[in-house]
């Protein structure tokens, strides 16, 4: 076990699924080290998925997930796996079985989930970059809370073979970094894209998404918006939703629940696994989602996708908060966490529903804690967002 993992006092790395691999001697990522969320298969180790019963009932991986292998082939060295909220289904990062990684950017507060360990590792400068996953915000929210760069790519751009699923039609491979140049280099490798980034068109401000944010967050992000305007041009306020965004959240969560249950029903019913108090009720709820509910939501999803294509045509960039507020204190009461979800998911579901790329930029601070500004672009415009991130950081 390497010194970084062995000396981890922040509860970031998984010792029970530890694996490390040397990267290629040359390549665009040579000399960089990274960590991966413990939902990615790495040959020679088990994948824990944040749950001891999953770990107990699954075999050692025989093949490394392509998203990890491409990074190794590009020269990056894997130093270990990071903790995740169980089943990758949480926004807090507080795992009932393995604990909560420390968020050094906001001491005493949650790192955000479910890619909690991956975000915390980058924030603590233990790795140059890390790999997480984002279904409903599990890269974008931790990036905001930990004061780092985070990317959810266009759905389907990066392989999820060898990755534990939550909801396949919504799941994406995402990544974190502190340095914008490293962030872009990693993205170029994962996206397999060395072409010239497209130029942004107009800047749009998501008025209805900003409505879910604390007033202090909206005020703190104003200078960041000014910086984006200086690059792209004067912003135009838009209403994203064709109905309140909390209704869009329902169109997101019903397919998510139906897919989660379809993926894991056989294992849950066979093993009767022990879930923590936050995730257990979600799994139970997923089992109750009806085919009619899922079908209606999926139909609305296609309408929303078409709407967002029209909003973002011509290289438009949509700006919105990455999170409604700063990170919650650790061990917040359940009703406080539920309040976070109720305000975060309406803004986070936009990119997920419409399969869009979104980048979170660490451009503001409130009460000494980081706050992220997010930029969303049309499908396939991932490298345009990476270029903007580099120019704004």
């Amino acid at each position: 076990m390497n010194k970084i993992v062995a000396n981890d006092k922040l509860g970031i790395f998984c010792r029970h699924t530890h694996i490390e691999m040397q990267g290629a001697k040359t390549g665009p990522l040579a000399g960089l080290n990274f960590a991966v969320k413990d939902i990615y298969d790495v040959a020679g180790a088990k994948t824990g998925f944040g749950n001891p019963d999953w770990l107990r009932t699954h075999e050692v991986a025989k093949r490394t997930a392509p998203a990890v292998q491409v990074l190794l082939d590009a020269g990056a060295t894997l130093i270990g796996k990071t903790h995740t909220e169980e089943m990758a289904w949480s926004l807090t990062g507080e795992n009932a079985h393995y604990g909560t990684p420390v968020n050094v950017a906001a001491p005493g507060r949650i790192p955000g989930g479910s890619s909690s360990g991956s975000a915390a590792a980058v924030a603590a400068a233990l790795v140059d970059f890390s790999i997480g996953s984002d279904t409903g915000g599990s890269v974008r929210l931790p990036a905001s809370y930990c004061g780092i760069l985070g990317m959810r790519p266009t759905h389907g751009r990066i392989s999820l073979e060898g990755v534990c699923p939550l909801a396949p039609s919504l799941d994406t491979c995402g990544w974190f970094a502190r340095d914008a140049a490293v962030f872009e280099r990693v993205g170029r490798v994962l996206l397999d894209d060395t072409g010239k980034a497209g130029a942004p068109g107009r800047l749009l401000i998501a008025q209805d998404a900003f409505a879910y944010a604390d007033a202090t967050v909206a005020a703190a992000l104003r200078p960041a918006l000014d910086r984006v305007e200086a690059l792209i041009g004067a912003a135009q306020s838009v209403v994203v939703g064709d109905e309140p965004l909390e209704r869009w959240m329902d169109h997101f969560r019903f397919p998510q629940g139906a897919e989660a249950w379809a993926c894991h029903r056989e294992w849950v019913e066979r093993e009767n696994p022990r879930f923590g108090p936050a995730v257990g009720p979600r799994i139970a709820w997923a089992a109750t989602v009806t085919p009619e509910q899922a079908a209606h939501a999926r139909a609305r999803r296609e309408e929303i996708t078409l709407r967002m294509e029209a909003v973002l045509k011509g290289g438009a960039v949509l700006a919105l908060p990455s999170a409604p507020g700063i990170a919650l204190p650790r061990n917040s009461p359940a009703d406080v966490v539920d309040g976070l979800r109720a305000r975060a998911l309406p803004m986070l579901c936009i990119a997920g529903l419409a399969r869009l790329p979104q980048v979170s930029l660490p451009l503001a601070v409130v009460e000494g804690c980081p706050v992220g500004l997010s930029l969303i672009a049309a499908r396939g415009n991932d490298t345009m967002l990476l270029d903007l991130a580099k120019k704004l950081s």
Side-chain angles (χ1 to χ4, degrees):
M1 185 177 292
N2 60 69
K3 290 182 179 180
I4 295 174
V5 175
N7 295 331
D8 172 27
K9 301 293 193 297
L10 302 176
I12 287 171
F13 291 100
C14 300
R15 288 177 169 81
H16 55 288
T17 56
H18 178 69
I19 187 78
E20 50 193 87
M21 285 191 173
Q22 185 69 40
K25 292 182 179 179
T26 61
L29 303 181
L32 300 179
N33 65 7
F34 74 107
V36 298
K37 183 176 184 175
D38 191 24
I39 67 170
Y40 288 81
D41 285 350
V42 179
K46 284 191 173 187
T47 302
F49 209 5
N51 181 277
D53 288 322
W54 184 276
L55 180 69
R56 175 180 57 81
T57 56
H58 288 78
E59 299 299 319
V60 169
K62 294 181 173 59
R63 182 168 180 259
T64 298
V68 177
Q69 189 63 54
V70 72
L71 298 169
L72 293 165
D73 293 343
T77 292
L78 172 65
I79 69 161
K81 286 191 165 190
T82 56
H83 285 298
T84 173
E85 182 53 279
E86 56 182 333
M87 314 305 287
W89 203 350
S90 170
L91 289 178
T92 68
E94 296 176 294
N95 187 302
H97 310 288
Y98 300 117
T100 306
V102 172
N103 178 358
V104 299
R109 295 178 180 271
I110 58 173
S114 62
S115 304
S116 52
S118 294
V122 169
L126 300 180
V127 290
D128 296 306
F129 69 93
S130 64
I131 303 304
S133 68
D134 190 306
T135 302
S138 290
V139 164
R140 294 161 288 163
L141 193 80
S144 183
Y145 285 175
C146 293
I148 56 178
L149 294 149
M151 180 85 173
R152 174 199 170 93
T154 297
H155 184 266
R157 281 287 306 263
I158 301 171
S159 171
L160 288 179
E161 180 187 347
V163 184
C164 298
L166 175 56
S169 79
L170 298 160
D171 295 344
T172 60
C173 166
W175 65 99
F176 303 97
R178 296 179 309 283
D179 179 85
V182 169
F183 187 67
E184 183 192 33
R185 285 161 61 193
V186 172
R188 292 283 189 165
V189 169
L190 286 168
L191 295 166
D192 190 23
D193 188 343
T194 58
K196 185 177 180 180
R202 63 199 186 284
L203 176 63
L204 308 173
I205 297 178
Q207 180 180 323
D208 43 349
F210 264 94
Y212 290 94
D214 294 340
T216 53
V217 168
L221 290 176
R222 185 63 253 181
L225 288 170
D226 291 342
R227 291 178 59 189
V228 183
E229 282 190 287
L231 274 178
I232 299 177
Q236 172 190 351
S237 287
V238 296
V239 175
V240 173
D242 55 0
E243 58 183 336
L245 290 178
E246 57 261 33
R247 295 289 302 278
W248 279 25
M249 180 177 72
D250 286 337
H251 307 322
F252 178 93
R253 68 189 189 94
F254 282 118
Q256 179 189 41
E259 292 179 31
W261 186 238
C263 287
H264 302 302
R265 175 179 182 171
E266 189 276 333
W267 175 74
V268 170
E269 292 183 338
R270 183 184 74 243
E271 300 294 340
N272 190 27
R274 296 167 293 121
F275 291 117
V279 176
R282 275 178 218 135
I283 298 292
W285 170 81
T288 71
V289 175
T290 67
E292 293 75 19
Q293 287 173 319
H296 172 72
R298 287 176 179 132
R300 282 291 290 127
R301 183 185 186 187
E302 298 313 311
E303 295 170 353
I304 289 165
T305 297
L306 292 175
R307 178 179 176 85
M308 293 307 300
E309 285 179 356
V311 168
L312 295 169
K313 66 182 179 182
V317 175
L318 181 70
L320 67 163
S322 300
I326 62 175
L328 295 178
R330 292 162 66 112
N331 303 311
S332 290
D335 62 325
V336 174
V337 175
D338 289 344
L340 163 66
R341 293 177 62 83
R343 291 197 301 140
L345 289 176
M347 60 176 68
L348 291 167
C349 74
I350 298 168
L353 283 168
R355 308 169 177 88
L356 304 171
Q358 179 174 341
V359 63
S360 179
L361 310 173
L363 295 180
V365 175
V366 172
E367 298 176 22
C369 298
V371 172
L373 177 70
S374 270
L375 302 177
I376 293 176
R379 281 187 282 180
N381 280 349
D382 307 63
T383 54
M384 182 176 77
L385 294 181
L386 291 176
D387 187 60
L388 283 170
K390 188 165 65 174
K391 290 174 179 175
L392 289 163
S393 296

